[in-house]
Amino acid sequence: MGSQWGVNRSVAQIHALLYLSETALNAEQISNELGIARSNVSNSLKELVGWRLIHRVPVPGDRREHFEAETDVWEMALLIAKGRKEREIDPAMRALDICVSQATSEPGLHPVVLERMHNMQDFLNTADRWSNQMLSVPKAKLSNLMKMGDKVINLLKIGGKKTGS
């Protein structure tokens, strides 16, 4: 799945290995198990720690760093959503804000161009507010909300139809 989401193959493999492992593993064990260069493992572990998808755990009697994955799938999904928003969406929104600000004072700019930029800005701001709201919903309630999907869509369809035609 990682490659479908634009995640480096070794990062995805290491995350999957740690997620499925019943014990914490060190970098050497990960390298041996997956046949990945030790340097690649180290860089991938740093990235996964940065996303907070894995964490270091002490192993008594062993000075090497050991790692284990977050195993709560809801927590993983929320961490990934927050991380992608921070790394991808937020910078795009800031760039668009700058573009709109500059375009507003641009002489000769066709009004349609500015209107479309404002439409994109409004859409992203609305999506950002919705995302922030969804990320603040407790996991159990979010799970229930997602399971209600078909029912909610059907209610919205019924509510949007004109009756008596």
Side-chain angles (χ1 to χ4, degrees), residues 9 15 18 45 73 75-76 86 119 144 150 154:
R9 178 182 165 100
H15 184 242
L18 290 173
L45 289 170
V73 293
E75 187 63 25
M76 281 192 314
E86 291 169 2
N119 289 344
N144 288 337
D150 289 339
N154 289 333

Side-chain angles (χ1 to χ4, degrees), residues 119-138:
N119 289 344
M120 180 60 72
Q121 191 177 38
D122 290 343
F123 170 78
L124 287 175
N125 286 332
T126 300
D128 184 56
R129 277 192 305 280
W130 176 83
S131 172
N132 288 333
Q133 291 168 349
M134 290 299 104
L135 290 172
S136 69
V137 173

